[in-house]
Structures are given as C-alpha cells and as structure tokens.
C-alpha cells in the first residue's frame, strides 16, 4: 500500500500499533454495503465502466458470503477491514478491484461504515429497551395495588404501590429510548464522498449513495464529515444514561433480595451459589449489571478524552474510536437482557412489602395532611403535632393506626376518630390521586397509556 512513497516497510511495532483489523472487522457488513453503493454510483456517473462495476459488486458479494461463513481473516499487514476486503477483491477479480477506491478515501469510508454500524446498534438497543418496557408494564399491572414502602434516604417515607414503583423505571427507559432516537436522527447523514478531507474532483453523486445506504442526506462539510465522531459520543452518552438506570434497578433488586428486606425471590436463572456456603443465593446478574454501568461510563469518558484536542481533519487517534463503542454496546445489550429477564421472572414478596410498609410510620404525612384539611392547622404546626404522634407510637411499639384515640387527643385535642380512616396504608395510597400519583387508579391509568405508547 505504501510502496510508492516509502522504500522500507514498517517496523514490527508500527505494524502492530497501526493495525485495527482485530477490532474493526466488526464493520465488515457496513463496509461491503458502503462499497457496493459507492461503485454503483461510480458506474452511473460514468466514472468506472459498467463491466468493472458489475465485477466489483459480484466480488463483494462473494467476500460477504466468505465472511459470513468463516469470519474475517486478521492480517496485520493489511491494517484494517477496508484493506482486507480490497485485497481479497483483487484476488477474486484482478486489477479492476483497484477502481473501487476512486473518489473516496479510507477517511470517509470508515466514517460511513462506523455511522452505519452505530445506526444498527441503536436499532438493537431500541428493540431491547422496548422489551424491557413491556416487561415492566406487565409486572406493574399485576401489582398495581400491591402496597410497599416508598423510600427517601433508604428510610421508609410513604406507602406506594409496587406497580407505581415499577412504572418509575418505565419512565426512565422511555427517556432512554428518546435519547437513542435523537442520536439516530442526528447521525443519519452520509459522509461517503467527502474523500480524505476536501471532497473530490470526480463528478460524484453523493445524494445517490446517501439514499442507497438509507441516510437522510449527505453531510454538508467535507472536513467535518471525516473528523466528526459526535455520533459515537451521542451513542455512548445515551448508553451511559441507560446503564445508570439499569444499575439503579439492579441495585434495588440486590437490596430487595437481601434477607433484611426479603422483597423478592430471584429466579435460579439469574442467581449463583457460593463455593463454600451452600445456603447462598447471590444476585450476581444484578451485580454485574451494576458493574457494567461503570465500564460503559468509562467507554464514554475514553472517547471524550480521545476527541477533546484533535485538530481538523482526521488524526490516527480516531482509530481508537471504535473499541469503546463496541465494548459499551456489548455490555449494554447484556445488561438490558439480564434486567428484562429478571423483571419477567422474579417473584415479588408483596406480603413482606406490605408488612414493612405498615411498620414504618409511613402514614405520618397522611396524619399531617388530615390536620391541615380537617382542622385548618398550618402545615408546619401539623408537622410538629405528627412528629409527637410518631414518637408516641414508637414508644408504644405500635403503628400509628393502632395508637389509642386518647393518646392522640392528649397530643392535640382537635384530633377525632375520623383520623383512623386515613392512617392505614391502603387509605394512604388510595388518597394519592394527583396526576402521576401512587393511587392504584392513577397507576392503572398510566399503564393503559403506556400500553398505547408501546403499541
């Protein structure tokens, strides 16, 4: 490849550091698709003959079948997927293979391949996140009125329903899907034909190649076309956010599966045992999802640091753009699949959840709200009165709804027996009828809307 300019070959270390074929072989389908679109355009524009274009296209089909059957051969001397494919094409059809690279550079070629790969990756993630949402909605519907403690600071705060809790993650995943959709829309412009950095003097039709590859349009600046990796960063940032949500859900399962909580029984399929303690059921799948979030975040940071100081246009540093994206995509796919499987198959211990909701003074806010509504007491005063009632219940080791009326009246004479109608956990959750609240009726309404959203 370099014979016209360099008299000697590269040092062995240069050969190894320069080669990207060990990882960019994953781009082979996109590389062949881009090359077929390019040669079809060259033929239509009269830049190469129809005979050569036919031979090149047929050769590329043969190579695709070989790669599909046997994988991509790794040859460090050929550096990357583009040269491996072009070399094999020359073996198959002879000198006509050299015409394929007319009016393009590896710079716009790899930018196009990578955009195509990331676009496909987003479509895979979209399908996975949609499946996760469906699982969340199904389990939320089953548990729309199952009472559990709601937490702030991991302290029992107010009773909520398990369905409401699960639908909170539905909303997170909805936002994740929107971020990936935005990233896909932004990347859907085709760099092919920008050549090395300045465009080309050949009479190419970049709109034709863009349309053939499913892009909305060609990119508008040749310098930006070959040096832009915003699309990869967009993907990694969306992946990072999604992984953070998955990690939070995994953390809940880890806590809920612990003996002090006992809110869930994780299925065998997503648990492991101990090499020494036969009683153990470890939530390893959830823990690995939690760990993957850190690695995905690291991939995003790695590419940010690579790109932060690069001048226009292409620099070899950008060869390192693909490994973090590939790694993050693989980890995210595993994480989505693991959490979807856990959601679908976990056993929720709703009896245990309800028992803890009833034992943590979680209806204290309902007492304060009642004092405001029925007694006309300013909330801050009602808050103080309720705090004394909680202290009394704590001292008596009983829930709020089991405090004698006399005790409550000693705290504040304006309390009467109507208070008991709001102190149960069922009454508490049923009263939260505001839009987006935890009342079972509100939860079911949101589930109905979610089903329409999911189609």
């Amino acid at each position: 490849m370099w014979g016209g300019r360099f008299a000697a070959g590269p040092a062995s270390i240069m050969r190894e550091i320069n080669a990207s074929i060990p990882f960019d072989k994953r781009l082979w389908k996109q590389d062949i698709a881009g090359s077929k679109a390019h040669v079809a355009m060259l033929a239509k524009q009269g830049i190469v003959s129809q005979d050569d274009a036919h031979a090149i296209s047929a050769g590329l089909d043969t190579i695709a079948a070989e790669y599909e059957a046997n994988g991509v051969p790794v040859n460090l001397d050929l550096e990357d997927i583009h040269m491996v494919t072009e070399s094999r094409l020359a073996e198959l059809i002879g000198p006509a293979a050299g015409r394929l690279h007319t009016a393009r550079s590896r710079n716009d070629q790899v930018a196009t391949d990578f955009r195509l790969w990331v676009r496909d990756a987003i479509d895979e993630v979209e399908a996975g996140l949609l499946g996760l949402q469906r699982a969340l909605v199904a389990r939320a519907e089953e548990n729309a009125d199952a009472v559990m403690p709601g937490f702030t600071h991991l302290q029992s705060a107010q009773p909520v329903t398990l369905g409401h809790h699960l639908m909170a993650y539905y909303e997170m995943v909805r936002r994740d899907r929107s971020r990936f959709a935005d990233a896909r829309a932004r990347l859907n412009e085709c760099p092919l034909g920008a050549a090395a950095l300045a465009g080309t003097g050949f009479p190419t039709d970049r709109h034709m190649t863009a349309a053939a590859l499913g892009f909305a349009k060609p990119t508008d600046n040749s310098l930006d076309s070959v040096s832009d990796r915003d699309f990869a960063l967009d993907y990694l940032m969306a992946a990072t956010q999604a992984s953070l949500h998955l990690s939070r859900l995994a953390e809940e399962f880890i806590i809920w599966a612990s003996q002090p909580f006992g809110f869930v029984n994780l299925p065998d399929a997503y648990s492991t045992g101990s090499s020494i303690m036969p009683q153990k059921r470890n939530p390893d799948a959830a823990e690995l999802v939690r760990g993957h979030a850190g690695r995905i975040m690291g991939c995003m940071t790695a590419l940010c640091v690579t790109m932060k100081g690069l001048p226009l246009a292409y620099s070899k540093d950008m060869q390192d753009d693909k490994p973090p994206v590939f790694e993050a995509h693989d980890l995210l796919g595993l994480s989505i699949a693991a959490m979807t499987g856990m959601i679908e198959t976990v056993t929720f211990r709703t009896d245990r959840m309800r028992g803890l909701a009833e034992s943590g003074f979680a209806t204290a806010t309902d007492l304060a709200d009642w004092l405001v509504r029925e007694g006309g007491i300013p909330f801050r005063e009602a808050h103080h009165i309720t705090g004394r009632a909680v202290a009394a219940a704590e001292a008596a080791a009983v829930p709020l709804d089991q405090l004698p009326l006399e005790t409550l009246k000693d705290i504040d004479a304006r309390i009467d027996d109507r208070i008991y109608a709001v102190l149960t956990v069922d009454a508490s959750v049923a009263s939260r009828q505001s839009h987006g609240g935890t009342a079972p009726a509100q939860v079911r309404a949101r589930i109905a809307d979610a089903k329409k959203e999911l189609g």
Side-chain angles (χ1 to χ4, degrees), residues 379-401:
F379 183 81
R380 287 302 173 199
E381 182 183 352
H383 186 284
H384 180 72
I385 294 167
T386 301
R388 291 172 61 196
V390 170
E394 192 170 35
V398 296
L400 279 172
D401 63 344

Side-chain angles (χ1 to χ4, degrees), residues 260-442:
F261 275 76
F263 283 6
V264 298
N265 289 331
L266 291 179
D268 290 348
Y270 295 95
S271 306
T272 65
S274 165
S275 63
I276 190 173
M277 296 168 285
Q279 83 282 7
K280 294 292 291 301
R281 178 193 290 270
N282 298 325
D284 281 13
E287 290 173 351
L288 288 166
V289 170
R290 187 176 59 181
H292 287 353
R295 292 175 63 188
I296 292 170
M297 189 186 307
C299 291
M300 183 269 290
T301 303
L303 187 53
C304 284
V305 174
T306 295
M307 296 301 299
K308 71 173 181 60
L310 298 185
L312 293 177
Y314 181 84
S315 298
K316 194 67 169 181
D317 316 42
M318 292 166 68
Q319 182 168 288
D320 285 337
D321 56 359
K322 287 167 282 295
V325 176
F326 294 161
E327 180 182 0
H329 181 66
D330 292 346
L331 292 172
L332 183 60
L334 281 172
S335 296
I336 293 170
M339 293 314 302
T340 302
M342 275 185 270
I343 288 290
E344 290 173 336
T345 57
V346 68
T347 300
F348 291 110
R349 293 282 310 280
T350 53
D351 56 338
R352 175 71 175 167
M353 292 179 179
R354 183 183 185 90
L356 287 184
E358 292 174 338
S359 67
F361 312 116
T363 58
T365 304
D366 298 277
L367 172 55
D369 288 347
W370 185 89
L371 290 168
V372 172
R373 282 196 314 268
E374 303 299 331
I377 301 171
F379 183 81
R380 287 302 173 199
E381 182 183 352
H383 186 284
H384 180 72
I385 294 167
T386 301
R388 291 172 61 196
V390 170
E394 192 170 35
V398 296
L400 279 172
D401 63 344
Q402 293 183 22
L403 273 178
L405 181 59
E406 295 78 15
T407 302
L408 289 169
K409 280 187 167 295
D410 287 342
I411 294 170
D412 192 283
R414 289 166 288 189
I415 298 175
D416 59 45
D417 59 3
R418 292 176 298 163
I419 192 62
Y420 293 106
V422 302
L423 289 184
T424 66
V425 292
D426 291 305
S428 177
V429 296
S431 71
R432 308 295 168 183
Q433 290 283 353
S434 58
H435 180 80
T438 193
Q442 285 292 323

Side-chain angles (χ1 to χ4, degrees), residues 156-169:
S156 184
Q158 291 178 276
V160 297
T161 63
L162 176 56
H164 192 54
H165 193 109
L166 293 173
M167 287 301 290
Y169 285 97

